[in-house]
Amino acid sequence: MKLVLGRDDLAAAALSAARETGSEPERVGIKPVHKASRGFVNESDVDLCELAIVTVLQAVAHGRPVLLLPVTTLGRHQHQTLVTLGKLSVADVEGRSVGVRAWSQTTGVWMRGFLTEQYGVDLRKADWTTYEGHHVEGAEDPSWVRRAPQGAGLPADFLEGRVDFGIMGNELPADDRIRTAVGNAHDVAEQWSKEQGFIPVNHVVGVSEAAAAEHPEAVLAAYDAMCSVLTANEAGGPVALHPVGFEGLRAAFTKAAVYALEQDVIPRAVDYDELVERSCAALGVTPARLGG
């Protein structure tokens, strides 16, 4: 059983637990971890893989043999990810150019959702540019989004003024001119999470249908071990930073699915219970076994 997990502590726990069931797991070192997504979703070249939450939704919507293992490997606030170099603010997005690495990038889906829901922005009135395609074969950008020329990159386009705003998480360049477009972004993000009851989730864990059928005990043991690590390290606060279990992830997945459908990221609505039922059926367990 091949695993791709970005966090060393989660990988070590999952490997150890899987071995105790008699399996022979192997960690595949792919960095950054999102580069493993395409092969996992389209070719099932690994068995258990850290995935962006929107990649899971796209995979299910496009009929890929991908199941959700409800473990959050990365949760974080997102309001700070819309940035600008000038005096523009979130109120200026309509009529301006905005760059995002990929239309299906989870950070972008969350931030665009905030733009429409909190700030009344009509996304189609902005000039959107993407720089990469989707992890899921068959997924396409909306007709109202343009692709940057081959060889172009968002950080450079942003710093050199070819786009007015950028949505960037880990790829945000270091430059003292950069400022968030949402005023007091951290405070706004904290308040949003308190009101919603959850933090925007970026990465979870996916498992292939074949692995679930062939190695159910190893998959469940890996799940238990990762949950133990995350719950032991959870720092308290009004909402969990790394929720686990089906119920722990329900609110974040449901909201992300709404945003993704509104933004033409997925071709059909994906109900969270569909994900729960598919995982449970493949692993031969009830939702309660996976925190449901």
Side-chain angles (χ1 to χ4, degrees):
M1 190 169 74
K2 294 183 178 180
L3 291 70
V4 177
L5 293 165
R7 286 179 50 167
D8 293 339
D9 57 347
L10 295 181
L15 289 167
S16 177
R19 288 192 188 103
E20 291 181 2
T21 68
S23 179
E24 297 181 0
E26 171 194 355
R27 186 185 185 186
V28 180
I30 299 178
K31 296 182 179 180
V33 71
H34 72 80
K35 290 189 177 296
S37 300
R38 183 178 294 277
F40 170 71
V41 170
N42 301 303
E43 301 166 17
S44 298
D45 60 0
V46 297
D47 302 297
L48 187 148
C49 186
E50 182 171 335
L51 288 180
I53 189 172
V54 173
T55 301
V56 175
L57 292 169
Q58 276 196 327
V60 171
H62 285 271
R64 298 294 187 272
V66 172
L67 307 172
L68 169 64
L69 202 61
V71 175
T72 300
T73 58
L74 175 62
R76 69 181 181 204
H77 292 306
Q78 303 282 4
H79 285 76
Q80 76 283 357
T81 61
L82 180 67
V83 294
T84 181
L85 292 176
K87 296 181 179 180
L88 299 175
S89 76
V90 68
D92 302 306
V93 170
E94 290 186 9
R96 301 281 183 168
S97 55
V98 191
V100 62
R101 178 171 58 83
W103 193 248
S104 58
Q105 183 184 14
T106 296
T107 294
V109 171
W110 282 121
M111 190 63 235
R112 292 191 302 268
F114 304 150
L115 287 175
T116 58
E117 193 170 74
Q118 291 183 273
Y119 302 101
V121 173
D122 183 342
L123 298 178
R124 289 165 176 76
K125 292 183 178 179
D127 178 15
W128 293 93
T129 299
T130 62
Y131 294 79
E132 296 179 10
H134 304 263
H135 293 312
V136 180
E137 289 181 3
E140 301 290 343
D141 288 354
S143 60
W144 41 279
V145 173
R146 77 176 186 92
R147 180 65 55 83
Q150 189 169 1
L154 173 56
D157 276 3
F158 174 70
L159 291 176
E160 294 169 17
R162 286 185 286 275
V163 293
D164 299 311
F165 295 93
I167 297 178
M168 287 180 276
N170 294 335
E171 67 267 51
L172 183 68
D175 192 302
D176 291 340
R177 297 173 296 164
I178 297 174
R179 53 188 295 274
T180 59
V182 174
N184 301 312
H186 179 75
D187 293 339
V188 172
E190 292 235 331
Q191 185 61 35
W192 186 90
S193 285
K194 288 178 183 177
E195 292 173 355
Q196 298 289 329
F198 66 89
I199 198 163
V201 171
N202 258 49
H203 289 183
V204 291
V205 177
V207 60
S208 70
E209 288 182 354
E214 186 176 354
H215 308 287
E217 291 184 0
V219 171
L220 292 169
Y223 165 79
D224 291 339
M226 289 187 285
C227 286
S228 294
V229 170
L230 292 168
T231 54
N233 293 334
E234 192 64 50
V239 295
L241 184 60
H242 294 92
V244 297
F246 283 132
E247 284 309 303
L249 279 163
R250 179 176 291 275
F253 255 98
T254 300
K255 178 66 81 172
V258 170
Y259 286 168
L261 186 64
E262 291 175 346
Q263 298 167 25
D264 294 339
V265 174
I266 53 178
R268 66 169 178 86
V270 176
D271 186 85
Y272 186 62
D273 285 325
E274 178 183 351
L275 277 66
V276 174
E277 291 165 5
R278 292 175 73 252
S279 295
C280 290
L283 290 166
V285 298
T286 64
R289 175 63 181 84
L290 294 169

